[in-house]
Amino acid sequence: MNANIDGASPEIIEVAMEVAKECGGLPLAIVPLASALRGKILNEWKLAYHKISSSRLMDIEDAPRQKKKCIHEP
């Protein structure tokens, strides 16, 4: 893995990989979040990871067997 993606530190890249895993590898979830966090400091990436990893699973009316994560404020 390239440890210098867009000048990001190895620590940010590590957290970004965890965020991507929490997004289920879905580009529709990853791209907006990564765009919002681009250029942010490590603590902001960690906060985003914490929010998404602690978010609840919600039922989608039109897809009863599918679950989607959403970031919500407590």
Side-chain angles (χ1 to χ4, degrees):
M1 174 173 48
N2 182 354
N4 193 16
I5 299 171
D6 287 337
S9 72
E11 294 86 5
I12 288 178
I13 292 170
E14 183 179 331
V15 175
M17 297 297 285
E18 293 301 317
V19 168
K21 286 179 191 175
E22 286 294 327
C23 290
L26 299 171
L28 189 59
I30 296 168
V31 171
L33 189 55
S35 293
L37 291 169
R38 184 180 186 146
K40 303 293 184 185
I41 62 173
L42 179 60
N43 285 342
E44 291 177 274
W45 276 92
K46 286 182 177 181
L47 179 61
Y49 173 71
H50 173 73
K51 284 185 176 185
I52 197 168
S53 66
S54 64
S55 64
R56 299 177 312 178
L57 291 173
M58 300 182 69
D59 287 319
I60 308 286
E61 281 184 32
D62 296 334
R65 287 181 277 158
Q66 293 181 343
K67 303 279 184 177
K68 301 290 179 196
K69 276 195 170 184
C70 68
I71 298 176
H72 64 88
E73 295 296 323

